[in-house]
Amino acid sequence: MPTAAVLIADGTEEMEFTITYDTLVRGGVACRSLYVPDPSSTETLAVAPAFAKCSRGVRIMYDATLESEVRASVVMSQCAIECVNLKSNTIFDAFIIPGGAKGADTLSKSATVQRLVQEHLEAGKMVGMICAGSLTALTAKLPRQELTSHPSVKADLEAHFNYSEDPVVISGKLITSRGPGTTFPFALTLLSLLCGEDKRAEVQAPMIFPDGTPF
Amino acid sequence: MPTAAVLIADGTEEMEFTITYDTLVRGGVACRSLYVPDPSSTETLAVAPAFAKCSRGVRIMYDATLESEVRASVVMSQCAIECVNLKSNTIFDAFIIPGGAKGADTLSKSATVQRLVQEHLEAGKMVGMICAGSLTALTAKLPRQELTSHPSVKADLEAHFNYSEDPVVISGKLITSRGPGTTFPFALTLLSLLCGEDKRAEVQAPMIFPDGTPF
């Protein structure tokens, strides 16, 4: 069973999170929702709520914090402080960063997220970024390649990448997309790359897209 | 500011819930997520979790239970038992029932939901049903009219209604739709009816639907 991490933060766009997570689960992908706290928040992890307050107020409970997932996955040495500096074994078949301005700001600025993006690509695994989530391509210092994003962050990206306005851009293992309105084709593209075209078709049909839908 | 209740239960389709809620919030509609517990659950309300476990595992925290919302809205008399039999004042500008087989089963069989559907329509307010949520048109004994639903429940509905396969059907104040793939046009239709075409256009543009999207 393929695995996917779908990241979430306060301010994540809840449609982009939910459509991606749900579509992959429908295709048999084992999904984990992993939370990254806002570093400027005064709440400590010990009292952080077990949910993300998303961009339009939907509150979604997450499976684990990203940090706890990374800590749990490394081979524990004598010293916990050393441990968190070890290279992570938190590798999924797809590592996905949704948008929402505030959520994407938190996710893209997280050193752990940046490192895991690099490690996933080095390991030949897929990385998905949608909407303002594509800012992570910049912060993780990915090499110049084709990508897309929400238009609101185009100006931040176009000097560093070959900017496209296609709904979904596949650049090797980096899959990018634009906004809530492109999340279905984004999620279905991830599913076809993880599980094949037949699985995508099996999942897409009962969703009942209107006639003429261009994906 | 228009108001909407978006119902939720265990097994609700999380994309249908989230797209509808988020789209309406983007348009300035004050949304409430109201939970209806599964009556066959052994959990009592006192220990029920404050979230719905949706159809593909996304756990969404709700604002209130539907019953508590109804109780809070009635003028309390001496006797709480009489109170809950009073006609509810829980009237929103839109009362919305998402799908997901198990969630729609719970919602459509709830006597409170059935009564509120009737009361909203009697008050000239809008009622939205999508996917298997359209079963509530049957259980609330709505008169024969045009509607649609997910194809999986078409057989339950077509003898009682003028069944349509359009993505979104407007029948007076009853708005029905088909599945996750039609939730964007469903939510945008609700928004245009609540807030006007200009507001719909303002909300739709930054969602960045692919060129050729048929709504």
Side-chain angles (χ1 to χ4, degrees):
Chain A
M1 180 185 275
T3 59
V6 189
L7 302 191
I8 192 165
D10 294 326
T12 287
E13 218 304 320
E14 46 268 71
M15 299 192 280
E16 294 170 359
F17 173 87
T18 302
I19 294 169
T20 305
Y21 189 104
D22 181 318
T23 300
L24 293 178
V25 168
R26 283 172 178 248
V29 177
C31 288
R32 292 278 284 168
S33 55
L34 299 177
Y35 177 76
V36 177
D38 176 357
S40 70
S41 167
T42 54
E43 285 170 333
T44 67
L45 265 183
V47 297
F51 62 86
K53 185 167 181 190
C54 293
S55 66
R56 272 72 189 183
V58 175
R59 292 169 300 160
I60 295 177
M61 298 182 72
Y62 51 80
D63 294 322
T65 65
L66 181 63
E67 290 295 339
S68 69
E69 193 86 347
V70 170
R71 283 169 199 253
S73 72
V74 296
V75 179
M76 296 302 283
S77 71
Q78 302 101 310
C79 172
I81 294 164
E82 273 175 21
C83 251
V84 298
N85 292 323
L86 287 175
K87 186 156 177 159
S88 154
N89 287 316
T90 317
I91 297 293
F92 299 85
D93 295 307
F95 188 75
I96 300 163
I97 302 166
K102 180 169 175 286
D105 186 66
T106 297
L107 296 175
S108 66
K109 289 179 177 167
S110 157
T112 306
V113 171
Q114 293 163 11
R115 193 184 76 227
L116 285 167
V117 163
Q118 294 161 351
E119 289 180 15
H120 276 78
L121 292 171
E122 284 164 12
K125 304 297 186 182
M126 223 175 298
V127 171
M129 301 176 183
I130 182 164
C131 195
S134 294
L135 287 171
T136 318
L138 189 65
T139 59
K141 300 187 170 38
L142 299 191
R144 174 178 286 275
Q145 58 194 299
E146 196 181 7
L147 59 59
T148 191
S149 71
H150 196 271
S152 59
V153 297
K154 176 180 176 181
D156 297 296
L157 292 166
E158 60 186 346
H160 304 276
F161 297 94
N162 302 329
Y163 196 86
S164 165
E165 300 201 340
D166 287 350
V168 181
V169 172
I170 303 175
S171 169
K173 294 291 184 177
L174 177 66
I175 320 300
T176 52
S177 189
R178 309 209 75 200
T182 64
T183 313
F184 277 115
F186 171 68
L188 290 164
T189 298
L190 289 170
L191 182 59
S192 65
L193 293 170
L194 287 168
C195 303
E197 283 298 324
D198 288 353
K199 180 58 74 177
R200 174 190 171 144
E202 180 190 318
V203 167
Q204 185 164 346
M207 288 184 176
I208 320 293
F209 290 96
D211 289 346
T213 293
F215 54 82
Chain B
M1 182 184 274
T3 59
V6 188
L7 303 191
I8 192 165
D10 294 324
T12 287
E13 216 304 320
E14 46 269 70
M15 298 191 282
E16 293 170 0
F17 171 88
T18 302
I19 294 169
T20 304
Y21 189 104
D22 181 318
T23 300
L24 294 177
V25 168
R26 282 171 177 249
V29 177
C31 288
R32 292 278 284 167
S33 53
L34 300 177
Y35 177 75
V36 178
D38 175 358
S40 71
S41 166
T42 53
E43 286 170 333
T44 68
L45 265 184
V47 296
F51 61 86
K53 184 168 181 189
C54 293
S55 66
R56 271 73 189 182
V58 175
R59 292 169 300 161
I60 295 177
M61 299 183 71
Y62 51 80
D63 294 322
T65 66
L66 181 63
E67 289 297 339
S68 69
E69 191 87 347
V70 169
R71 282 168 199 252
S73 71
V74 298
V75 179
M76 295 303 282
S77 71
Q78 304 100 310
C79 173
I81 293 162
E82 274 174 19
C83 250
V84 297
N85 293 323
L86 287 175
K87 186 157 178 160
S88 155
N89 286 317
T90 317
I91 297 292
F92 299 84
D93 295 306
F95 188 75
I96 299 162
I97 303 166
K102 179 169 175 284
D105 186 67
T106 296
L107 296 175
S108 66
K109 289 179 177 168
S110 157
T112 306
V113 172
Q114 293 162 12
R115 193 185 77 228
L116 285 168
V117 163
Q118 294 160 351
E119 288 179 18
H120 276 79
L121 292 171
E122 284 164 14
K125 303 297 186 182
M126 221 176 300
V127 172
M129 302 176 182
I130 182 164
C131 196
S134 294
L135 287 171
T136 319
L138 189 66
T139 58
K141 298 187 169 42
L142 300 190
R144 174 178 285 275
Q145 58 195 297
E146 195 181 8
L147 58 61
T148 191
S149 71
H150 196 270
S152 58
V153 296
K154 176 181 178 181
D156 299 295
L157 293 166
E158 62 185 347
H160 305 275
F161 296 94
N162 301 331
Y163 196 87
S164 164
E165 302 201 340
D166 286 350
V168 182
V169 172
I170 303 174
S171 170
K173 294 291 184 179
L174 178 66
I175 319 300
T176 52
S177 189
R178 310 207 76 200
T182 64
T183 313
F184 277 115
F186 172 69
L188 290 164
T189 298
L190 290 169
L191 182 59
S192 66
L193 293 168
L194 286 168
C195 303
E197 282 298 325
D198 287 353
K199 181 57 76 177
R200 174 191 170 142
E202 180 191 319
V203 167
Q204 185 165 344
M207 288 183 174
I208 319 293
F209 290 97
D211 289 346
T213 293
F215 54 83

